[in-house]
Amino acid sequence: PQQQGFYEHMTAQTFLYYMADLKGLPKRQAAAEIDKLLDITSLSHVRHKKLGGYSGGMKQRVLLAQALLGDPKVVILDEPTAGLDPKERIRIRNFISAFSRNRIILLATHIVSDIESISDQILMMKKGCMVGIAAPVDLVESVADKVKELPLSSIGGKSCQEDLERMQEQYKVGNVFQRRGETWVRVIGDDLPAEGEYVEDHLTLEDVYLYYLGE
């Protein structure tokens, strides 16, 4: 779950034994799996520390460990990296990737960088309806002629801020960045401005997300 509903007076080890018991795992199997999962999640050294003293990332690793107790063939994760710092997000992402080899993992998230490097299929939903399903590379190729970058100075407005506001009103603006001392914007859509350059060699899933799901 995205929200961490722990008994914070429990230790990580106690919590995992509790969850193993709820799952009906034999004690010997539970002990072996818990030792392995605590080691893999780098929590062995704090296994006897109460969960109330854990950081957000450590708590999330405990939740992932309990989800894998019993070697499930399907795991469903809801926003597993929400609220984590970049270092913990990378750690959780790599952990998920390592455990996806022999099972199906469904990961719900709006943080596209979390799935860009580890997913082999992406399902896009908008307002409860499926709008696309494909491999990441195929989704990126589908927006090959839908992304442009241009300097705000090419619009010919009165000020950089006014030009940016106008672009945001007319187009889906992905990034605003500095290049060669100028402010540039990245726009996504079917109807693009005449100015600018088509992006060909560094399209991302963020472009895909904005094209299909952005308002």
Side-chain angles (χ1 to χ4, degrees):
Q2 177 181 351
Q3 302 301 323
Q4 299 166 337
F6 282 113
Y7 297 114
E8 299 210 338
H9 65 281
M10 286 186 174
T11 66
Q13 178 170 291
T14 302
F15 175 74
L16 290 175
Y17 271 106
Y18 170 65
M19 294 303 297
D21 195 36
L22 290 178
K23 294 186 179 189
L25 299 184
K27 288 186 177 180
R28 182 174 296 181
Q29 177 185 347
E33 288 194 20
I34 288 169
D35 284 344
K36 178 182 177 181
L37 289 168
L38 285 171
D39 183 53
I40 290 171
T41 54
S42 301
L43 293 171
S44 292
H45 65 294
V46 290
R47 65 194 301 157
H48 299 302
K49 182 178 179 179
K50 291 184 178 179
L51 294 170
Y54 275 29
S55 68
M58 292 166 70
K59 289 179 178 179
Q60 204 67 357
R61 279 183 268 154
V62 175
L63 285 177
L64 286 168
Q66 67 83 24
L68 292 166
L69 283 170
D71 193 28
K73 299 308 176 188
V74 179
V75 179
I76 302 175
L77 306 176
D78 179 26
E79 300 281 3
T81 64
L84 303 183
D85 63 44
K87 183 178 179 180
E88 279 290 359
R89 278 181 51 207
I90 293 170
R91 185 198 293 265
I92 296 296
R93 192 166 65 209
N94 291 341
F95 178 70
I96 293 169
S97 179
F99 268 87
S100 66
R101 298 289 181 259
N102 301 311
R103 58 175 55 85
I104 295 170
I105 294 183
L106 297 177
L107 192 160
T109 185
H110 64 279
I111 304 173
V112 293
S113 61
D114 282 349
I115 58 175
E116 196 153 18
S117 59
I118 65 173
S119 298
D120 54 12
Q121 289 287 316
I122 295 176
L123 294 77
M124 295 185 295
M125 298 188 71
K126 186 173 184 179
K127 298 180 180 179
C129 297
M130 188 82 70
V131 297
I133 174 172
V137 63
D138 294 328
L139 288 174
V140 169
E141 287 179 358
S142 73
V143 298
D145 58 347
K146 311 294 184 184
V147 185
K148 266 190 170 185
E149 291 179 346
L150 63 149
L152 288 177
S153 60
S154 67
I155 301 173
K158 295 180 180 179
S159 71
C160 180
Q161 184 60 35
E162 288 180 359
D163 290 343
L164 178 57
E165 291 175 356
R166 190 172 72 180
M167 291 296 289
Q168 290 173 326
E169 289 175 359
Q170 296 181 14
Y171 306 102
K172 296 176 184 177
V173 174
N175 293 322
V176 181
F177 58 95
Q178 299 298 312
R179 178 185 292 169
R180 298 189 292 271
E182 291 186 292
T183 300
W184 285 58
V185 292
R186 187 181 183 104
V187 293
I188 298 97
D190 293 315
D191 183 20
L192 296 173
E195 303 86 358
E197 308 164 357
Y198 280 102
V199 177
E200 297 178 353
D201 58 351
H202 56 285
L203 294 166
T204 69
L205 282 180
E206 187 171 282
D207 299 320
V208 174
Y209 181 93
L210 288 172
Y211 180 75
Y212 288 103
L213 304 177
E215 297 300 331

